[in-house]
Amino acid sequence: MPRFWLVKSEPGAYAIDDLARDGRTDWTGVRNYQARNFMRDAMRVGDAVLFYHSNADPPGVAGLARVSGPARPDPTAPKGGPDWCMVEIAFVARFPEIVPLDRLKADPALKGMLVTKRGMRLSVQPVEEAHYRRIVALGRREARA
DNA sequence: GCCAACGTTGGC
DNA sequence: GCCAACGTTGGC
């Protein structure tokens, strides 16, 4: 059974266009236990991913990715510290226009979605299937606009 | 640049 | 184990 996720990245550090260029990338650098546990314990190869631009203008979902490699130790983690991990993600699609956070917050169909909640800093989040599908539809709608 | 939210650290 | 201080995230 497929699962659905949202991962955040600051586009100045790594944007959807970077993923489009690279095709796939190691999702290293996660230093939050809850996010780590999602990657390690729940993410599966093939799971669908919303690629979210944080600290951006505007912040929002920039495209789609897929988990393409299983969780393994993060080679960028400092030695002697906690056991951090990473997954590999692959490019799927870039939305022609970002689906802005404002838009997500305003959509009744997305009520309760974690990323719309104030103070939600988790950089790897589970997403409900219905929410995922809704955002894909919004991304396609942006493509027509 | 500001600051609210929240996770982590460290003194006790 | 409490909690104040501190650092980071991330929207605005």
Side-chain angles (χ1 to χ4, degrees):
Chain A
M1 166 161 150
R3 295 177 175 79
F4 302 88
W5 305 96
L6 179 146
V7 301
K8 296 179 184 174
S9 184
E10 300 198 13
Y14 198 82
I16 189 72
D17 286 339
D18 296 311
L19 184 60
R21 178 198 62 218
D22 296 341
R24 55 186 57 206
T25 196
D26 288 343
W27 207 247
T28 55
V30 173
R31 298 292 183 268
N32 171 279
Y33 290 107
Q34 204 178 350
R36 189 274 310 268
N37 293 347
F38 281 131
M39 290 196 296
R40 188 189 61 191
D41 303 334
M43 270 192 176
R44 298 291 180 267
V45 172
D47 286 356
V49 175
L50 299 170
F51 195 99
Y52 180 90
H53 282 177
S54 60
N55 265 326
D57 187 20
V61 179
L64 305 175
R66 187 163 299 279
V67 178
S68 56
R72 51 191 182 82
D74 181 346
T76 72
K79 289 203 167 179
D83 292 326
W84 300 114
C85 77
M86 48 152 280
V87 295
E88 183 187 273
I89 67 168
F91 177 75
V92 172
R94 176 190 186 281
F95 291 155
E97 303 283 345
I98 203 164
V99 179
L101 180 60
D102 283 353
R103 183 75 182 81
L104 306 183
K105 286 181 172 175
D107 192 332
L110 297 175
K111 190 168 173 54
M113 191 178 178
L114 288 176
V115 77
T116 66
K117 295 187 177 177
R118 195 170 68 138
M120 170 47 69
R121 305 187 311 180
L122 191 60
S123 63
V124 176
Q125 306 179 5
V127 173
E128 293 175 23
E129 180 168 2
H131 291 168
Y132 176 84
R133 293 188 185 286
R134 176 66 176 156
I135 289 171
V136 171
L138 291 173
R140 288 180 179 149
R141 182 169 306 172
E142 298 290 342
R144 273 186 236 118

